[in-house]
Amino acid sequence: MKVRKALLSLASLLLCLPASGMRPVADADTAATVVRPVFAAYTLEYGSAHLTDTYLTPLRYEGWHAGFDYQRYQAMRFAPRDWTMCLHMNLSVDKTDNPARNASMWDIMLSADWGMMRRFRPLPGLTLAAGASTGIELGCLYNPRNGNNPASAKAAWTVNLTGFASYSLRIWRLPVTFTYQPTLPVTGVFFSPDYGELYYEIYLGDHSGLTHCAWWGNYFRLDNQLSADLHFGSTNLRLGYHGTVFSSKVNHLVTNRFTHALSVGVSGEWMSVNPRKGLPRKVRMISALY
């Protein structure tokens, strides 16, 4: 009887032990490592520019626009399937002439913004995203014909609405991804001197009334980008359109800037591999844009 009770106790103990397939080590081995590749795009753009700045001249100037554009997307570390971040930078140069073609005005602008967006996939191949970003814009318009003040400085910090719509399909046998990306400032602050105020006066200490709260009534800017990524291989050919609409009115000064440009460049996904750790056995890759 005692031997029988001992055997029953041993069987009960064995049944209580975890099975080999339930060990935590095995769970760690079967868990997939999340990889978040960086999607980056480098493009050159060229098109037309239309400039008006009543601080320099009441005339409208028209000419060419050229620029370099950089975009960087990556899924966020938290909830990578639902949230993505974007860094966007653009450097542009415009050369325009007055209606008589006897005077030129140059425009140099640098902009950069960073934001986060929530992604949705309502249909196969379609990705929608909406979120917010913050950015800066710095630049200068230069018109040597304007005597005492040939330059008009521009500076702004804004909080924006942003997002994208991306759709992937095949044209014949070539995979193509179309993406539309708008950015619309909502509020912020921007710089503007008073009407007729010289920059020399600002240098001497007249700093009142130089910064203004931005809202759609006195500061409006819409940045539009439409692109097509042609997936020939690991690196894509990117073709697209980049247009900007800008208008500000403060201190009886009006500035308008409209540009339209075609763009061409390369894009693709890149990821870093640590040679000391090697590649994990199971990887789950989450793209930021597609």
Side-chain angles (χ1 to χ4, degrees), residues 105-160:
M105 181 162 60
W106 291 82
D107 177 28
I108 300 177
M109 299 298 298
L110 172 65
S111 63
D113 58 83
W114 182 91
M116 290 174 51
M117 291 162 283
R118 177 69 162 84
R119 292 194 293 174
F120 308 90
R121 296 175 180 83
L123 296 172
L126 177 63
T127 302
L128 303 178
S133 67
T134 181
I136 60 172
E137 187 175 39
L138 303 172
C140 179
L141 281 79
Y142 176 71
N143 189 335
R145 194 167 183 173
N146 191 41
N148 293 335
N149 255 7
S152 176
K154 304 297 178 184
W157 167 78
T158 57
V159 177
N160 320 311

Side-chain angles (χ1 to χ4, degrees), residues 42-46 66-70 238 240 261-266:
Y42 306 83
T43 56
L44 297 175
E45 57 190 46
Y46 184 82
F68 170 75
D69 193 86
Y70 169 71
R238 168 166 281 206
L262 297 178
S263 59
V264 59
V266 295

Side-chain angles (χ1 to χ4, degrees), residues 6-84:
L7 292 176
L8 291 175
S9 300
L10 180 59
S12 300
L13 180 61
L14 291 175
L15 291 174
C16 292
L17 290 177
S20 59
M22 299 295 292
R23 291 179 303 170
V25 175
D27 286 341
D29 290 342
T30 57
T33 301
V34 174
V35 176
R36 303 173 298 119
V38 172
F39 177 88
Y42 306 83
T43 56
L44 297 175
E45 57 190 46
Y46 184 82
S48 63
H50 310 267
L51 305 177
T52 303
D53 190 286
T54 57
Y55 182 79
L56 299 176
T57 173
L59 300 178
R60 179 179 178 178
Y61 282 58
E62 297 182 350
W64 55 261
H65 162 89
F68 170 75
D69 193 86
Y70 169 71
Q71 294 181 0
R72 183 185 189 275
Y73 282 84
Q74 188 176 24
M76 298 297 296
R77 188 178 297 275
F78 70 92
R81 292 191 60 85
D82 298 327
W83 288 89
T84 186

Side-chain angles (χ1 to χ4, degrees), residues 206-221:
D206 187 6
H207 299 156
S208 62
L210 297 180
T211 58
H212 309 270
C213 179
W215 63 291
W216 290 339
N218 62 4
Y219 187 97
F220 180 86
R221 178 167 60 88

Side-chain angles (χ1 to χ4, degrees), residues 133-254:
S133 67
T134 181
I136 60 172
E137 187 175 39
L138 303 172
C140 179
L141 281 79
Y142 176 71
N143 189 335
R145 194 167 183 173
N146 191 41
N148 293 335
N149 255 7
S152 176
K154 304 297 178 184
W157 167 78
T158 57
V159 177
N160 320 311
L161 294 175
T162 188
F164 68 84
S166 177
Y167 184 68
S168 299
L169 72 162
R170 284 183 177 269
I171 299 179
W172 289 284
R173 295 185 178 181
L174 179 65
V176 180
T177 300
F178 293 94
T179 305
Y180 171 65
Q181 302 157 293
T183 301
L184 176 65
V186 177
T187 187
V189 293
F190 68 102
F191 166 85
S192 177
D194 204 349
Y195 186 84
E197 182 179 11
L198 302 177
Y199 285 94
Y200 184 67
E201 299 177 49
I202 299 174
Y203 172 76
L204 292 179
D206 187 6
H207 299 156
S208 62
L210 297 180
T211 58
H212 309 270
C213 179
W215 63 291
W216 290 339
N218 62 4
Y219 187 97
F220 180 86
R221 178 167 60 88
L222 178 61
D223 186 277
N224 291 287
Q225 288 199 3
L226 178 63
S227 60
D229 292 308
L230 282 63
H231 304 272
F232 289 106
S234 57
T235 300
N236 314 320
L237 172 64
R238 168 166 281 206
L239 304 174
Y241 162 82
H242 186 194
T244 58
V245 176
F246 173 82
S247 178
S248 69
K249 183 177 181 181
V250 66
N251 292 342
H252 305 288
L253 297 174
V254 175

